[in-house]
Amino acid sequence: MKSLFKRGRTLGVLLLTALLALLPLAGCQGSDDAGADDLVLQVGSTKPFKTTNKFGDYWYGVLSGITTHDSLVKLDTNMQPSPWLATSWEVSADSKQFTFTIAEGVKWHDGMPLTPEDVKFSIEYQRDKIASSAWMKEVIDNVQVDGQDVIINLQLPYGNLLTEFMTYHPIPKHIWENVEDPDGYNGADRAIGSGPFKLDSWNETAGKFTFTANDDYFQGRPKIDRLVVDVYKNMDALVMSLANGNIDTWWDYSGEFPYTHVPTLQGTGQIEFATATFLGVPAAIGFNLDVSPTSELEFRQAVAKAINYEQIAELVFDNYGSVPTYGFAPSTHPNFNDSIPSLEYDPSAANAFLDGLGFLDTTGNGKREANGQEIKLRLLARSDTPSTVRCAEMVMQYLQDIGIGAQLTSVDSATWVAKKDAMEYDIVFFRATPWGNMMHASHGSGYFDSRRTGQGVLHNLDAQDYLDACDARLNTAVADQQRTLDLQLQQMHHDYLPGLALTWIESVYPYRTGWDNWVIDHIYGGVVNSFSWFTVTRTAE
Amino acid sequence: MHEMARLWHVVKRNKARTAGIAILALFAFFAVFATWIAPHDPWQFGRAFLSPSSTNLLGTNDVGQDIFSELLYGARISLTVGFAAGLLAVTLGTLIGLLAGFRKGFLDNLLMSVTDVFLVIPTLPLAILVSVYLGPSMWNIVMVIGLLGWPATTRVIRSQVLSVRESGYVESARALGAGDFWIMRHHVLPNVLPLVIAKFVLTVAMAMLMEASLSFLGLGDPIDKSWGMMLRYAFLRGGFVGGMWWWYVPPGLAIGLCILGLTLISYSIEERSDPRLKRALDR
Amino acid sequence: MERHRHPVAAIAGKTMRYLIVLFIIMSLNFLLPRLMPGDPIMNILGEEAYYGSAQVLQELKAQHGLDQPLYTQYIRYFGSFFQGDWGYSFLCMRPVLEAVSLHLRWTLALVLPAIFLGALLAAVAGALAAWYRQSKLDVGLSAFFLFCYSMPTYWLAMLLLFIFGFQLGWFPLGKVTGGDASGLAYLLDVGWHMFLPVGLLVVSKAAYDFLVVRNSVVSIYGEDYVLMAQAKGLSQMAVLFKHALRNAMAPLVTVTAIQFGAILSGALMVEIVFSWPGMGTLIFEAIGARDYPVLQGAFFMIAVCMLTANYIADMIYVWLDPRTR
């Protein structure tokens, strides 16, 4: 008797199922294994990499800056510009001419020499073709080549050019000169740079980059033979991998390693931590200066006094946080103004400010009123960083403690940008990245200057003397003048209070025991940075 | 005495339903009286990452909020979303089912085609899409589930209306001048009520699960204390990796238990109203 | 009604209906971004377009035909849709259709085995539970599947990952492959990575089917032909599998079609926990980046999968139905 469930058929169904399962997986390739003696560093990351086009993929662009590509100058661990592709540079007295002398004997990964002509091409190419480099159109007049020198003539004095150029990487002219649409360029040679590592493969399915050491690197061969960047979709999986020994360390730019996971890793006895002061501000608030009551300086001062910074540092940043000053950017930045007072939790002072403004609780229900109506502030936060949302919850509580009602809107980053630009908030929660704090006129001014636009910035402060100070700072490359203006700008953050840092933090950078001699870098990503490639060692277990 | 024995018999025979109702009653109790029975204010910050103790029965979370109190308050969001969405879906479903059943022909065909469409719309992706467009809110979730969840009810109601229409006693009632409304009240509704309740209960379960999923994805309101949001933070803020079972097990279990309770109720109703099955089970 | 029609007519009728449903879903996909609050150009092109100047936005609008009347856009939408032009994803740096297809295969790699193995598991477990009904085995199996049915799948996924991946280290911590192998080793590697997520989905699919199979087998107890078969001396197992399970096939197929959406939703959430590069992860990332074209493409693709599943279920039903044979 034939039956549907005859044994043979059951087996068939099983086989068919297995086949169906494996069918979609056909057509993937693996990469060949390296020698056993090779020094391999496995780095975990949670950044959403998609392609190996540094122009199309923001995160690959950042990663390429410490692996396959070089910049003209780099910021050293003392926060000073140091030579890299450019062996030296000169700035004219009026800050309108920058001359970079390019190192000799540098080669692209395909063996072609890197020439000053390539550098000139790269600057012009990025100015003309890359949307995010559009600022160059207003700043750079022309670029000349003279021997090994690249001379950049500016339309206006621009003191921040060196800092800006730390994130710009020369690209080979012979590859890109015919590429009209750099964002979408798919050629296999798009990853070729001059950096210490060559891109070997990118397996999107496995989420894995493999880089190999560049034997011909002009500063010497890196100590690591193979660099593997393992991409995870969430931090939990990455931390578990770190604990289980699948990866050696973690890389991110501008994100902090979640402190909540530190005890677990310490418990394994296999992981050590390096710390460095985070140059950004992981959690900050900005005020809407156009609407009442946040347009009142005393009100903003009241809010500043109402926040329990110690508690935020303890609960949200697990005691790795510290109480900031009114100056906004942390003390590791050059020209830090140490005469600016620290923020302070003082609810009675906050209440005094509010009483002084006449915002009283006349009905006795614990809620203050302005013009006969209970105050209800609109708080705006991004939902994608849990620590920000936690901060927002806490600030909401602190406001209630001084009789200020508040309503928290927590939205995805894109909605946040839209609402922030439409000024649909009274208090907005944001974060400042390390580069973000250094951009524009430095010390976080890029976040507050009302003339700025961009995804992360608030552009809420339009006081004329502040804008003038920003312009003056932008227009000079003279150290003394920069210092005076830096101190002044920080003072203005205190005086105008357009926003404030909720905490400053020590970032922690985990790495596997046995790896030593890292260079701890504040800005390029902790232990994983261009300097570490030439110092790091591994002792056999 | 005799009555009591009868009642006991019914309860015993229907252990599943009793258990289901008991579970739900417990969580409903939590939801209603959370303010009184919760030992702490779940929004109050304190010492973080405390292990369970007599003051904090389930310890504290990453910002020192009492997890047990969060759990009790979480019942509010889950049950509110579940029952509101279920009510919306079943009301819509019943109305459309009645309309389709009584107005045969073109309208019936049209409504049934629409029902087919709604049956294959992937609910979770659509809910995600709509939540992203409209912003995080518990009521958006209610709307999406309510507006998508009605077809199952509609089908049941319609087929019941059709079979009742054809039956002889309705014909005679109609001949005696009874209107559609009268027929509906006296013949259709009593017949379909158990099934409607079963569908309602299942929709409630689906809505609760979806709320938990959306909150876990970060599409919920962070100020609302919901079980999905608790799981989200346990996942993102080190609860899982740190092995803090008192943080991530209770909310998951709470969601699961509610759904278990609802499923038990729904099954027991469906079993009772399926005579063939009833016969088989009683054997 | 339909059931009494000739099978060919029945199939043609069904096919027609599914095409209409497909058309309606496409229209929904067209209308959603235009009905929702916010600037439709952002809703349709994704947030990347947002940072352009007013002039750039106007050019983009013209380029994508968004300055045309709605009915023109509607016709164009269908035209480009069938030519495979689903828009461009800034998140994935590739056309939406390509991005969605790439991720779809990994989702199917979870869902298809889950459906077949899950049905198989449910058939065996359900039949056994029914045969030994009221026994400890029955109670145990019922309780187990009821538990799996009730608990949120993504939560179970997290528990599995934590226990078997992290604590015991038996399985990898997510992803589909380590990426260092090729050929057979690659397939084995993928299989190893698949074990936990597929295992979980198999059990949750079986949980949907279990009671259906069990009740269906219970219901034919004492039917004449079963008693007859037993009287003829067929072994218990033979009777069980030949008659009882055959009877359970039709409801099993139906329930698979109805629950396909739930299985798929479960898979989407499980993917996020297991860093699985499928549709769930894609949707999750697209939410964060507000990549509407991807969200819509994913939504459509999932709807097509559900339609296909329902269609296949209908066809099997026609084939199983003795009246149409």
Side-chain angles (χ1 to χ4, degrees), chain A residues 25 50 56 204-206 208 230-231 233 412 414-415 455, chain C residues 51 91 93-94 105-106 175 178 181 186 190 272 285 288 290:
Chain A
L25 319 179
K50 292 293 171 199
E204 194 182 348
T205 309
K208 209 171 239 186
D230 209 349
V231 187
K233 298 285 181 194
D412 63 284
T415 315
Q455 283 203 41
Chain C
Y51 300 101
L91 171 74
M93 302 301 300
R94 44 166 67 100
R105 61 178 195 177
W106 288 109
K175 297 206 196 187
Y186 169 75
V190 171
I272 292 167
E285 284 179 10
R290 279 240 163 169

PDB file of all heavy atoms in Angstrom, chain A residues 25 50 56 204-206 208 230-231 233 412 414-415 455, chain C residues 51 91 93-94 105-106 175 178 181 186 190 272 285 288 290:
ATOM      1  N   LEU A  25      22.258  29.442   0.104  1.00  0.00           N
ATOM      2  CA  LEU A  25      23.577  29.780   0.620  1.00  0.00           C
ATOM      3  C   LEU A  25      24.678  29.577  -0.408  1.00  0.00           C
ATOM      4  O   LEU A  25      25.832  29.898  -0.168  1.00  0.00           O
ATOM      5  CB  LEU A  25      23.901  28.932   1.845  1.00  0.00           C
ATOM      6  CG  LEU A  25      22.735  28.738   2.811  1.00  0.00           C
ATOM      7  CD1 LEU A  25      23.162  27.879   3.973  1.00  0.00           C
ATOM      8  CD2 LEU A  25      22.255  30.076   3.310  1.00  0.00           C
ATOM      9  N   LYS A  50      28.757  48.574   5.160  1.00  0.00           N
ATOM     10  CA  LYS A  50      28.025  48.001   4.038  1.00  0.00           C
ATOM     11  C   LYS A  50      28.928  47.740   2.833  1.00  0.00           C
ATOM     12  O   LYS A  50      28.760  46.766   2.117  1.00  0.00           O
ATOM     13  CB  LYS A  50      26.884  48.934   3.594  1.00  0.00           C
ATOM     14  CG  LYS A  50      25.782  49.061   4.598  1.00  0.00           C
ATOM     15  CD  LYS A  50      25.026  47.755   4.779  1.00  0.00           C
ATOM     16  CE  LYS A  50      24.061  47.865   5.949  1.00  0.00           C
ATOM     17  NZ  LYS A  50      23.647  46.567   6.458  1.00  0.00           N
ATOM     18  N   GLY A  56      31.156  56.272  -0.080  1.00  0.00           N
ATOM     19  CA  GLY A  56      29.750  55.881   0.015  1.00  0.00           C
ATOM     20  C   GLY A  56      29.382  55.427   1.415  1.00  0.00           C
ATOM     21  O   GLY A  56      28.243  55.577   1.847  1.00  0.00           O
ATOM     22  N   GLU A 204      30.612  40.358   3.319  1.00  0.00           N
ATOM     23  CA  GLU A 204      29.458  41.047   3.897  1.00  0.00           C
ATOM     24  C   GLU A 204      28.574  40.074   4.675  1.00  0.00           C
ATOM     25  O   GLU A 204      28.001  40.429   5.701  1.00  0.00           O
ATOM     26  CB  GLU A 204      28.651  41.751   2.802  1.00  0.00           C
ATOM     27  CG  GLU A 204      27.670  42.748   3.407  1.00  0.00           C
ATOM     28  CD  GLU A 204      26.807  43.460   2.384  1.00  0.00           C
ATOM     29  OE1 GLU A 204      27.103  43.357   1.180  1.00  0.00           O
ATOM     30  OE2 GLU A 204      25.844  44.107   2.805  1.00  0.00           O
ATOM     31  N   THR A 205      28.464  38.844   4.163  1.00  0.00           N
ATOM     32  CA  THR A 205      27.616  37.861   4.831  1.00  0.00           C
ATOM     33  C   THR A 205      28.150  37.548   6.228  1.00  0.00           C
ATOM     34  O   THR A 205      27.403  37.491   7.194  1.00  0.00           O
ATOM     35  CB  THR A 205      27.557  36.572   4.008  1.00  0.00           C
ATOM     36  OG1 THR A 205      27.207  36.921   2.675  1.00  0.00           O
ATOM     37  CG2 THR A 205      26.545  35.627   4.566  1.00  0.00           C
ATOM     38  N   ALA A 206      29.462  37.330   6.297  1.00  0.00           N
ATOM     39  CA  ALA A 206      30.050  37.009   7.590  1.00  0.00           C
ATOM     40  C   ALA A 206      30.293  38.272   8.406  1.00  0.00           C
ATOM     41  O   ALA A 206      30.547  38.195   9.598  1.00  0.00           O
ATOM     42  CB  ALA A 206      31.365  36.267   7.397  1.00  0.00           C
ATOM     43  N   LYS A 208      32.878  40.583   7.934  1.00  0.00           N
ATOM     44  CA  LYS A 208      34.288  40.477   8.325  1.00  0.00           C
ATOM     45  C   LYS A 208      35.200  41.147   7.299  1.00  0.00           C
ATOM     46  O   LYS A 208      35.132  40.848   6.101  1.00  0.00           O
ATOM     47  CB  LYS A 208      34.646  38.998   8.438  1.00  0.00           C
ATOM     48  CG  LYS A 208      35.738  38.714   9.444  1.00  0.00           C
ATOM     49  CD  LYS A 208      35.882  37.218   9.654  1.00  0.00           C
ATOM     50  CE  LYS A 208      35.665  36.833  11.100  1.00  0.00           C
ATOM     51  NZ  LYS A 208      35.922  35.428  11.366  1.00  0.00           N
ATOM     52  N   ASP A 230      35.812  42.264  12.831  1.00  0.00           N
ATOM     53  CA  ASP A 230      34.640  41.410  12.914  1.00  0.00           C
ATOM     54  C   ASP A 230      33.446  42.293  13.276  1.00  0.00           C
ATOM     55  O   ASP A 230      33.464  42.943  14.323  1.00  0.00           O
ATOM     56  CB  ASP A 230      34.909  40.390  14.034  1.00  0.00           C
ATOM     57  CG  ASP A 230      34.195  39.086  13.788  1.00  0.00           C
ATOM     58  OD1 ASP A 230      33.348  39.059  12.888  1.00  0.00           O
ATOM     59  OD2 ASP A 230      34.495  38.112  14.500  1.00  0.00           O
ATOM     60  N   VAL A 231      32.444  42.328  12.410  1.00  0.00           N
ATOM     61  CA  VAL A 231      31.347  43.268  12.615  1.00  0.00           C
ATOM     62  C   VAL A 231      30.160  42.568  13.267  1.00  0.00           C
ATOM     63  O   VAL A 231      29.672  41.557  12.758  1.00  0.00           O
ATOM     64  CB  VAL A 231      30.916  43.893  11.281  1.00  0.00           C
ATOM     65  CG1 VAL A 231      29.891  44.982  11.531  1.00  0.00           C
ATOM     66  CG2 VAL A 231      32.116  44.456  10.547  1.00  0.00           C
ATOM     67  N   LYS A 233      26.189  42.841  15.127  1.00  0.00           N
ATOM     68  CA  LYS A 233      24.972  43.634  14.988  1.00  0.00           C
ATOM     69  C   LYS A 233      24.585  44.283  16.308  1.00  0.00           C
ATOM     70  O   LYS A 233      23.826  45.235  16.332  1.00  0.00           O
ATOM     71  CB  LYS A 233      23.814  42.756  14.508  1.00  0.00           C
ATOM     72  CG  LYS A 233      24.016  42.141  13.151  1.00  0.00           C
ATOM     73  CD  LYS A 233      23.842  43.175  12.047  1.00  0.00           C
ATOM     74  CE  LYS A 233      24.023  42.504  10.694  1.00  0.00           C
ATOM     75  NZ  LYS A 233      24.191  43.468   9.625  1.00  0.00           N
ATOM     76  N   ASP A 412      13.548  58.141  16.842  1.00  0.00           N
ATOM     77  CA  ASP A 412      14.727  57.654  16.144  1.00  0.00           C
ATOM     78  C   ASP A 412      15.551  58.840  15.649  1.00  0.00           C
ATOM     79  O   ASP A 412      15.083  59.971  15.620  1.00  0.00           O
ATOM     80  CB  ASP A 412      14.314  56.752  14.981  1.00  0.00           C
ATOM     81  CG  ASP A 412      13.529  57.504  13.956  1.00  0.00           C
ATOM     82  OD1 ASP A 412      12.337  57.789  14.203  1.00  0.00           O
ATOM     83  OD2 ASP A 412      14.087  57.849  12.912  1.00  0.00           O
ATOM     84  N   ALA A 414      16.604  60.030  12.859  1.00  0.00           N
ATOM     85  CA  ALA A 414      16.192  60.879  11.745  1.00  0.00           C
ATOM     86  C   ALA A 414      15.077  61.840  12.165  1.00  0.00           C
ATOM     87  O   ALA A 414      15.101  63.024  11.821  1.00  0.00           O
ATOM     88  CB  ALA A 414      15.726  60.013  10.579  1.00  0.00           C
ATOM     89  N   THR A 415      14.113  61.333  12.932  1.00  0.00           N
ATOM     90  CA  THR A 415      13.050  62.202  13.417  1.00  0.00           C
ATOM     91  C   THR A 415      13.633  63.247  14.365  1.00  0.00           C
ATOM     92  O   THR A 415      13.212  64.404  14.369  1.00  0.00           O
ATOM     93  CB  THR A 415      11.980  61.385  14.163  1.00  0.00           C
ATOM     94  OG1 THR A 415      11.689  60.229  13.396  1.00  0.00           O
ATOM     95  CG2 THR A 415      10.721  62.180  14.366  1.00  0.00           C
ATOM     96  N   GLN A 455      23.675  67.318  10.698  1.00  0.00           N
ATOM     97  CA  GLN A 455      22.853  66.332  11.393  1.00  0.00           C
ATOM     98  C   GLN A 455      22.844  66.518  12.903  1.00  0.00           C
ATOM     99  O   GLN A 455      21.813  66.491  13.538  1.00  0.00           O
ATOM    100  CB  GLN A 455      23.402  64.938  11.098  1.00  0.00           C
ATOM    101  CG  GLN A 455      23.043  64.454   9.741  1.00  0.00           C
ATOM    102  CD  GLN A 455      23.094  62.947   9.683  1.00  0.00           C
ATOM    103  OE1 GLN A 455      22.677  62.262  10.598  1.00  0.00           O
ATOM    104  NE2 GLN A 455      23.610  62.424   8.594  1.00  0.00           N
TER     105      GLN A 455
ATOM    106  N   TYR C  51      19.107  66.507   3.479  1.00  0.00           N
ATOM    107  CA  TYR C  51      20.072  67.556   3.750  1.00  0.00           C
ATOM    108  C   TYR C  51      20.365  68.464   2.560  1.00  0.00           C
ATOM    109  O   TYR C  51      21.130  69.381   2.672  1.00  0.00           O
ATOM    110  CB  TYR C  51      21.357  66.951   4.310  1.00  0.00           C
ATOM    111  CG  TYR C  51      21.066  66.219   5.578  1.00  0.00           C
ATOM    112  CD1 TYR C  51      20.952  64.840   5.606  1.00  0.00           C
ATOM    113  CD2 TYR C  51      20.806  66.935   6.738  1.00  0.00           C
ATOM    114  CE1 TYR C  51      20.622  64.191   6.783  1.00  0.00           C
ATOM    115  CE2 TYR C  51      20.479  66.295   7.910  1.00  0.00           C
ATOM    116  CZ  TYR C  51      20.391  64.918   7.928  1.00  0.00           C
ATOM    117  OH  TYR C  51      20.051  64.278   9.078  1.00  0.00           O
ATOM    118  N   LEU C  91      21.302  53.218   2.755  1.00  0.00           N
ATOM    119  CA  LEU C  91      21.830  52.430   3.859  1.00  0.00           C
ATOM    120  C   LEU C  91      22.717  51.298   3.347  1.00  0.00           C
ATOM    121  O   LEU C  91      23.811  51.080   3.837  1.00  0.00           O
ATOM    122  CB  LEU C  91      20.664  51.857   4.685  1.00  0.00           C
ATOM    123  CG  LEU C  91      21.030  50.840   5.759  1.00  0.00           C
ATOM    124  CD1 LEU C  91      21.681  51.530   6.937  1.00  0.00           C
ATOM    125  CD2 LEU C  91      19.812  50.072   6.216  1.00  0.00           C
ATOM    126  N   MET C  93      23.799  50.956   0.183  1.00  0.00           N
ATOM    127  CA  MET C  93      24.615  51.371  -0.951  1.00  0.00           C
ATOM    128  C   MET C  93      24.347  50.512  -2.183  1.00  0.00           C
ATOM    129  O   MET C  93      25.267  50.177  -2.924  1.00  0.00           O
ATOM    130  CB  MET C  93      26.108  51.315  -0.612  1.00  0.00           C
ATOM    131  CG  MET C  93      26.537  52.155   0.566  1.00  0.00           C
ATOM    132  SD  MET C  93      26.162  53.885   0.354  1.00  0.00           S
ATOM    133  CE  MET C  93      27.084  54.260  -1.125  1.00  0.00           C
ATOM    134  N   ARG C  94      23.129  50.098  -2.361  1.00  0.00           N
ATOM    135  CA  ARG C  94      22.783  49.341  -3.564  1.00  0.00           C
ATOM    136  C   ARG C  94      21.284  49.464  -3.796  1.00  0.00           C
ATOM    137  O   ARG C  94      20.556  49.927  -2.926  1.00  0.00           O
ATOM    138  CB  ARG C  94      23.189  47.879  -3.436  1.00  0.00           C
ATOM    139  CG  ARG C  94      22.868  47.201  -2.117  1.00  0.00           C
ATOM    140  CD  ARG C  94      23.012  45.710  -2.238  1.00  0.00           C
ATOM    141  NE  ARG C  94      24.372  45.298  -2.449  1.00  0.00           N
ATOM    142  CZ  ARG C  94      25.180  44.823  -1.485  1.00  0.00           C
ATOM    143  NH1 ARG C  94      24.728  44.711  -0.268  1.00  0.00           N
ATOM    144  NH2 ARG C  94      26.405  44.432  -1.764  1.00  0.00           N
ATOM    145  N   ARG C 105      17.240  35.671   1.253  1.00  0.00           N
ATOM    146  CA  ARG C 105      17.660  34.273   1.200  1.00  0.00           C
ATOM    147  C   ARG C 105      18.063  33.764   2.578  1.00  0.00           C
ATOM    148  O   ARG C 105      17.845  32.600   2.908  1.00  0.00           O
ATOM    149  CB  ARG C 105      18.796  34.083   0.206  1.00  0.00           C
ATOM    150  CG  ARG C 105      20.026  34.871   0.541  1.00  0.00           C
ATOM    151  CD  ARG C 105      21.140  34.615  -0.443  1.00  0.00           C
ATOM    152  NE  ARG C 105      22.383  35.108   0.130  1.00  0.00           N
ATOM    153  CZ  ARG C 105      23.566  34.990  -0.432  1.00  0.00           C
ATOM    154  NH1 ARG C 105      23.680  34.395  -1.591  1.00  0.00           N
ATOM    155  NH2 ARG C 105      24.635  35.443   0.153  1.00  0.00           N
ATOM    156  N   TRP C 106      18.595  34.658   3.401  1.00  0.00           N
ATOM    157  CA  TRP C 106      18.981  34.219   4.745  1.00  0.00           C
ATOM    158  C   TRP C 106      17.775  34.041   5.640  1.00  0.00           C
ATOM    159  O   TRP C 106      17.769  33.215   6.549  1.00  0.00           O
ATOM    160  CB  TRP C 106      19.992  35.177   5.360  1.00  0.00           C
ATOM    161  CG  TRP C 106      21.334  35.052   4.726  1.00  0.00           C
ATOM    162  CD1 TRP C 106      21.943  35.949   3.905  1.00  0.00           C
ATOM    163  CD2 TRP C 106      22.219  33.924   4.797  1.00  0.00           C
ATOM    164  NE1 TRP C 106      23.151  35.466   3.481  1.00  0.00           N
ATOM    165  CE2 TRP C 106      23.353  34.216   4.014  1.00  0.00           C
ATOM    166  CE3 TRP C 106      22.158  32.696   5.447  1.00  0.00           C
ATOM    167  CZ2 TRP C 106      24.422  33.332   3.872  1.00  0.00           C
ATOM    168  CZ3 TRP C 106      23.225  31.821   5.304  1.00  0.00           C
ATOM    169  CH2 TRP C 106      24.336  32.140   4.522  1.00  0.00           C
ATOM    170  N   LYS C 175      25.488  35.401  13.874  1.00  0.00           N
ATOM    171  CA  LYS C 175      26.006  35.464  12.511  1.00  0.00           C
ATOM    172  C   LYS C 175      25.748  34.141  11.775  1.00  0.00           C
ATOM    173  O   LYS C 175      25.388  33.144  12.377  1.00  0.00           O
ATOM    174  CB  LYS C 175      27.497  35.757  12.477  1.00  0.00           C
ATOM    175  CG  LYS C 175      27.892  37.086  13.054  1.00  0.00           C
ATOM    176  CD  LYS C 175      29.175  37.476  12.393  1.00  0.00           C
ATOM    177  CE  LYS C 175      29.888  38.563  13.108  1.00  0.00           C
ATOM    178  NZ  LYS C 175      31.042  39.014  12.360  1.00  0.00           N
ATOM    179  N   GLY C 178      31.583  32.002  10.036  1.00  0.00           N
ATOM    180  CA  GLY C 178      32.801  32.641  10.519  1.00  0.00           C
ATOM    181  C   GLY C 178      33.546  33.327   9.382  1.00  0.00           C
ATOM    182  O   GLY C 178      34.360  34.196   9.603  1.00  0.00           O
ATOM    183  N   ALA C 181      35.935  29.798   5.721  1.00  0.00           N
ATOM    184  CA  ALA C 181      35.923  28.474   5.103  1.00  0.00           C
ATOM    185  C   ALA C 181      35.291  28.534   3.724  1.00  0.00           C
ATOM    186  O   ALA C 181      34.655  29.513   3.360  1.00  0.00           O
ATOM    187  CB  ALA C 181      35.158  27.506   5.985  1.00  0.00           C
ATOM    188  N   TYR C 186      32.481  25.240   4.540  1.00  0.00           N
ATOM    189  CA  TYR C 186      31.636  26.427   4.640  1.00  0.00           C
ATOM    190  C   TYR C 186      30.197  26.031   4.983  1.00  0.00           C
ATOM    191  O   TYR C 186      29.566  26.599   5.866  1.00  0.00           O
ATOM    192  CB  TYR C 186      31.694  27.202   3.326  1.00  0.00           C
ATOM    193  CG  TYR C 186      30.668  28.295   3.205  1.00  0.00           C
ATOM    194  CD1 TYR C 186      30.817  29.491   3.892  1.00  0.00           C
ATOM    195  CD2 TYR C 186      29.539  28.135   2.402  1.00  0.00           C
ATOM    196  CE1 TYR C 186      29.881  30.494   3.786  1.00  0.00           C
ATOM    197  CE2 TYR C 186      28.595  29.121   2.290  1.00  0.00           C
ATOM    198  CZ  TYR C 186      28.763  30.302   2.986  1.00  0.00           C
ATOM    199  OH  TYR C 186      27.825  31.292   2.880  1.00  0.00           O
ATOM    200  N   VAL C 190      28.088  26.990   8.237  1.00  0.00           N
ATOM    201  CA  VAL C 190      26.774  27.635   8.209  1.00  0.00           C
ATOM    202  C   VAL C 190      25.762  26.808   8.987  1.00  0.00           C
ATOM    203  O   VAL C 190      24.968  27.345   9.769  1.00  0.00           O
ATOM    204  CB  VAL C 190      26.307  27.849   6.754  1.00  0.00           C
ATOM    205  CG1 VAL C 190      24.861  28.304   6.725  1.00  0.00           C
ATOM    206  CG2 VAL C 190      27.186  28.867   6.052  1.00  0.00           C
ATOM    207  N   ILE C 272      17.441  39.368  14.811  1.00  0.00           N
ATOM    208  CA  ILE C 272      18.088  40.503  15.455  1.00  0.00           C
ATOM    209  C   ILE C 272      18.951  40.008  16.609  1.00  0.00           C
ATOM    210  O   ILE C 272      20.075  40.467  16.807  1.00  0.00           O
ATOM    211  CB  ILE C 272      17.027  41.519  15.925  1.00  0.00           C
ATOM    212  CG1 ILE C 272      16.388  42.153  14.696  1.00  0.00           C
ATOM    213  CG2 ILE C 272      17.634  42.570  16.827  1.00  0.00           C
ATOM    214  CD1 ILE C 272      15.142  42.928  14.968  1.00  0.00           C
ATOM    215  N   GLU C 285      17.805  47.752  10.896  1.00  0.00           N
ATOM    216  CA  GLU C 285      18.773  48.796  10.541  1.00  0.00           C
ATOM    217  C   GLU C 285      18.099  49.914   9.756  1.00  0.00           C
ATOM    218  O   GLU C 285      18.432  51.084   9.910  1.00  0.00           O
ATOM    219  CB  GLU C 285      19.924  48.206   9.728  1.00  0.00           C
ATOM    220  CG  GLU C 285      20.904  47.440  10.593  1.00  0.00           C
ATOM    221  CD  GLU C 285      22.043  46.831   9.796  1.00  0.00           C
ATOM    222  OE1 GLU C 285      22.185  47.153   8.596  1.00  0.00           O
ATOM    223  OE2 GLU C 285      22.786  46.026  10.371  1.00  0.00           O
ATOM    224  N   GLY C 288      16.472  52.419  11.988  1.00  0.00           N
ATOM    225  CA  GLY C 288      17.428  53.352  12.562  1.00  0.00           C
ATOM    226  C   GLY C 288      17.851  54.415  11.571  1.00  0.00           C
ATOM    227  O   GLY C 288      18.005  55.573  11.919  1.00  0.00           O
ATOM    228  N   ARG C 290      16.127  55.258   8.937  1.00  0.00           N
ATOM    229  CA  ARG C 290      14.948  55.779   8.242  1.00  0.00           C
ATOM    230  C   ARG C 290      15.055  55.575   6.744  1.00  0.00           C
ATOM    231  O   ARG C 290      14.829  56.497   5.949  1.00  0.00           O
ATOM    232  CB  ARG C 290      14.760  57.259   8.538  1.00  0.00           C
ATOM    233  CG  ARG C 290      14.093  57.467   9.855  1.00  0.00           C
ATOM    234  CD  ARG C 290      12.803  58.204   9.648  1.00  0.00           C
ATOM    235  NE  ARG C 290      11.969  58.063  10.809  1.00  0.00           N
ATOM    236  CZ  ARG C 290      10.878  58.770  10.988  1.00  0.00           C
ATOM    237  NH1 ARG C 290      10.509  59.645  10.117  1.00  0.00           N
ATOM    238  NH2 ARG C 290      10.144  58.579  12.038  1.00  0.00           N
TER     239      ARG C 290
END
